[in-house]
Amino acid sequence: VFTVVSSMLVHNMQFNADETLKRINLAAESIQPVFGTLKKDQVIVREGDSITTESYNLIKVMNSYTSTLNLNYTIGSFLIQAVFFLIVAYFIRDNYTRIFPDINAFIITFMLLNFFFIYTYFTQRAVAYSEKGLLFPLYLPLSSVLVILTILYNNRLSLIVSLYMFLYVMIISGGDYAITSIFIASSFIGIYGTKGLEKRIDFLVCGFAIGLTNVIIIAAIVLLKKMTTEQFISNFELALVSGVVNMIIAMGLFPFFEYLFKLTTRFKLL
């Protein structure tokens, strides 16, 4: 009987990991946010009292809100960057003129860094609240900043700036190996991939190289993290577009810096 019955049994159910993840994400997105009013000096929970679901949710909301907006967080972030700046300044003091050949180098670096910091801050908040499963560094003009500094001045300056930007991104994003991988890959290609650039069309080639590298990294991240096919496709497309857009931004900003600071690059002579 067992032999006859076992030969007739067939599987009628199959586990679909991709569909399961999709349904989990849909269920998470369908959860409505909890709104409430907190008065000044209102006590959420007293020491020794049992924590209810309502008070626990209020504590989570308050912690999430204050982690990005309170004064301690701002001061801590500033101190970390200040310490890093002092360390870098100390170790480059003997080669300062080689890294910053003139005052324009310092001004341009200052302009680009402040633009990057402000843009990154608001982009991180927008991505965190609106997009699900998209990798934050793909939205950043990382490569364009480093390409501009490398071509206008030198790769040492670009490398120092990339470390400073990396520290800032890690602070505001909480740190993640996916962010680290994409950041490092984009930085190295943006810095060392510009040596062979002789024509403006080479910028687009470099952009595709950055995009393809990020696509490979994203494929590896899919194997390490839970990511649906839809999320992978979204990141795949964004990675390609991001690489090309970064190079277009660099091409667009070069004439501005050349004219404003009276600089001459090899592209201006073409």
Side-chain angles (χ1 to χ4, degrees):
V1 174
F2 175 78
T3 304
V4 174
V5 173
S6 60
S7 64
M8 299 173 64
L9 293 176
V10 294
H11 295 287
N12 57 6
M13 295 186 68
Q14 184 176 359
F15 176 70
N16 189 325
D18 192 62
E19 182 64 24
T20 301
L21 269 178
K22 185 181 295 185
R23 293 190 180 187
I24 291 174
N25 291 331
L26 287 175
E29 293 173 3
S30 64
I31 298 175
Q32 297 297 321
V34 178
F35 296 95
T37 303
L38 290 177
K39 297 180 180 180
K40 185 179 180 180
D41 298 327
Q42 176 182 342
V43 177
I44 299 176
V45 62
R46 298 183 183 277
E47 183 178 358
D49 291 347
S50 299
I51 298 178
T52 64
T53 302
E54 181 180 0
S55 60
Y56 176 72
N57 289 333
L58 288 174
I59 292 172
K60 286 182 62 178
V61 170
M62 291 296 294
N63 288 339
S64 176
Y65 181 78
T66 55
S67 66
T68 56
L69 295 181
N70 64 26
L71 183 61
N72 291 339
Y73 179 86
T74 304
I75 294 175
S77 175
F78 174 79
L79 287 176
I80 291 175
Q81 294 182 68
V83 169
F84 182 79
F85 175 81
L86 292 175
I87 292 173
V88 171
Y90 175 79
F91 282 102
I92 69 170
R93 67 189 188 282
D94 295 330
N95 298 308
Y96 180 81
T97 55
R98 296 179 62 183
I99 298 174
F100 292 94
D102 52 43
I103 188 62
N104 288 338
F106 182 82
I107 295 174
I108 292 174
T109 302
F110 180 80
M111 291 172 59
L112 290 174
L113 272 177
N114 276 277
F115 164 75
F116 181 85
F117 290 160
I118 295 172
Y119 175 87
T120 301
Y121 174 78
F122 288 104
T123 301
Q124 192 272 339
R125 292 174 66 87
V127 171
Y129 290 131
S130 64
E131 302 290 346
K132 303 296 182 181
L134 295 179
L135 298 177
F136 166 57
L138 298 177
Y139 288 93
L140 304 182
L142 169 66
S143 300
S144 56
V145 171
L146 299 178
V147 167
I148 290 172
L149 291 177
T150 300
I151 293 178
L152 290 181
Y153 294 103
N154 53 76
N155 54 16
R156 293 183 181 180
L157 174 58
S158 297
L159 186 60
I160 293 172
V161 169
S162 70
L163 293 174
Y164 204 68
M165 291 192 297
F166 175 73
L167 178 66
Y168 178 75
V169 171
M170 289 297 101
I171 291 173
I172 69 170
S173 65
D176 183 85
Y177 64 84
I179 294 176
T180 302
S181 302
I182 293 177
F183 201 104
I184 292 176
S186 299
S187 297
F188 272 84
I189 296 177
I191 296 172
Y192 297 102
T194 57
K195 291 183 178 180
L197 298 183
E198 297 180 355
K199 300 178 181 179
R200 294 189 184 274
I201 190 65
D202 293 337
F203 279 91
L204 297 180
V205 176
C206 184
F208 278 113
I210 293 173
L212 290 175
T213 303
N214 288 337
V215 166
I216 296 173
I217 293 174
I218 290 171
I221 292 172
V222 171
L223 301 176
L224 298 172
K225 298 179 66 174
K226 291 182 178 181
M227 186 180 293
T228 65
T229 302
E230 183 180 354
Q231 290 173 342
F232 169 71
I233 294 174
S234 298
N235 283 285
F236 178 93
E237 296 171 346
L238 184 59
L240 289 177
V241 173
S242 175
V244 176
V245 169
N246 264 273
M247 293 301 103
I248 292 176
I249 292 173
M251 285 192 295
L253 290 178
F254 266 115
F256 168 75
F257 288 117
E258 289 172 341
Y259 174 79
L260 185 62
F261 295 96
K262 309 301 180 184
L263 299 173
T264 301
T265 65
R266 60 180 180 268
F267 303 103
K268 190 174 183 180
L269 300 175
L270 294 177

